[in-house]
Amino acid sequence: NETDESTEAMKSAGAEAGNLGDGFTVMKGVLADLVASGIKACIDGLKDLAQSAFEAYQAFDEGQDNMIKKTGATGETLGQLTENYTNVMKSVLTDSDSAGNAIGEIYTKFGLTGEALENLSEKFIKFADLNNTDVVSSIDAVQSASEAWGVSSEDVGDLLDLLNKTSQQ
C-alpha cells in the first residue's frame, strides 16, 4: 500500500507540475504581451517625437525663409542673420514667422546687425504682442514715426519703450 500511496503521490506531483507548467506558459504569454505593448508604446512615442521634431524644423525653416525673402541675404551675411534669428527664437517666446519677419524687416529698414539687430527684434516682437499687432506692421509704423521725428536706428528701442509706456497709461 505504501507503493500505491507513493505512486498516487507521484501522479499528483506530476499533475501539479503540469499545472505549474501551464501557469508558467500563461505567465510567459502575459509577459510577452506586456513587453510587446511596451515596445509598441516606445515606438509610437518615438514616432510622435520625430513628427514633432519635423514640424518644429519646418516652422523654423519657414521663419528663416521669411527672413531670406526680406533681406535677399546669401553667404556669410545669411549665416550671421540665421544666427541672429536662432538667438531671437531662443530668447523670446514667439513663433518662427514673427522672429523671421522681425529680423528681416529690422535688418532692411534700420540697417542693424548683430546684437543690436537681435535686441531690437526682441523688443518689436514684445511690442507687437503687447499691442495685439503683427510685428511687420509694428516695425513699419515705428520706422515711419522714427523718420518723421528724426530718431536714429540706435534709439528706436527707446522709442518703443516710450510708446509702450504711453499706451499703457
Side-chain angles (χ1 to χ4, degrees), residues 17-140:
N19 289 341
L20 183 61
D22 290 344
F24 185 67
T25 301
V26 169
M27 178 83 123
K28 283 189 340 189
V30 168
L31 286 174
D33 286 346
L34 284 173
V35 169
S37 295
I39 291 171
K40 183 182 180 312
C42 286
I43 290 171
D44 289 345
L46 289 173
K47 285 180 184 177
D48 291 344
L49 179 63
Q51 181 64 33
S52 294
F54 179 70
E55 289 169 2
Y57 169 77
Q58 282 184 312
F60 182 87
D61 191 52
E62 287 174 19
Q64 186 181 28
D65 288 347
N66 288 344
M67 180 190 69
I68 293 168
K69 286 176 192 171
K70 291 184 179 305
T71 64
T74 59
E76 226 177 276
T77 302
L78 177 58
Q80 181 59 50
L81 289 174
T82 298
E83 184 179 325
N84 298 140
Y85 168 67
T86 303
N87 291 341
V88 168
M89 288 292 294
K90 289 179 188 175
S91 65
V92 66
L93 184 61
T94 190
D95 59 89
S96 56
D97 285 340
S98 294
N101 284 329
I103 292 287
E105 288 287 321
I106 292 166
Y107 175 80
T108 56
K109 294 191 181 216
F110 295 102
L112 298 177
T113 59
E115 195 173 319
L117 173 62
E118 291 173 20
N119 292 337
L120 192 56
S121 294
E122 291 168 14
K123 282 189 172 197
F124 266 109
I125 290 166
K126 291 174 185 176
F127 177 86
D129 186 47
L130 186 65
N131 293 290
N132 284 332
T133 64
D134 70 283
V135 73
V136 173
S137 298
S138 297
I139 293 168
D140 288 344

